[in-house]
Amino acid sequence: MHTEIELPKKIDDRIVYVRAVDVSELPEEVQNQAVGIKQLYAVHSADGERLALVKDRDMAFILARQNDLAPVTVH
C-alpha cells in the first residue's frame, strides 16, 4: 500500500521557540495586565517575532502544537 502524504517544504518554517520572560521586561501595557505574575512564556518564530505570551510553559507548547508548529525550548 502506498499512501502519499504532504510534508512541509521546510521544517524550519514550523519551528517555534519557547522561552521564559520576566514580566518586568515587557511593555507597560502588558505588565498592567499581568498583575501578580512575575514570569510569562513567549512563543517566538524562527526570525524572533513574538507570536504569543502565555501563563505557563505547558500552555506555550500546547498552543504551538495546536497550530501545527514544532516548539523547542530556549534557555
Side-chain angles (χ1 to χ4, degrees), residues 1 11 25 38 41 47-48 59 61:
M1 180 175 179
I11 191 70
E25 297 175 8
K38 293 184 180 191
Y41 285 82
D47 66 2
M59 187 178 290
F61 275 75

Side-chain angles (χ1 to χ4, degrees), residues 6-7 9-11 14 17 23 25 27 32 40-41 43 46 48 50 53 58 60 62 64-65 67-68 71 75:
E6 189 171 329
L7 296 173
K9 302 289 185 227
K10 292 172 44 182
I11 191 70
R14 295 184 40 232
Y17 300 93
V23 171
E25 297 175 8
N32 292 339
L40 294 172
Y41 285 82
V43 179
R50 183 178 295 143
L53 284 171
D58 289 339
I62 290 168
R65 290 181 180 131
N67 286 283
D68 296 323
H75 296 280

Side-chain angles (χ1 to χ4, degrees), residues 11 13-18 44 61 64-65 67-73:
I11 191 70
D13 293 341
R14 295 184 40 232
I15 293 175
V16 292
Y17 300 93
V18 176
H44 291 270
F61 275 75
R65 290 181 180 131
N67 286 283
D68 296 323
L69 300 169
V72 294
T73 302

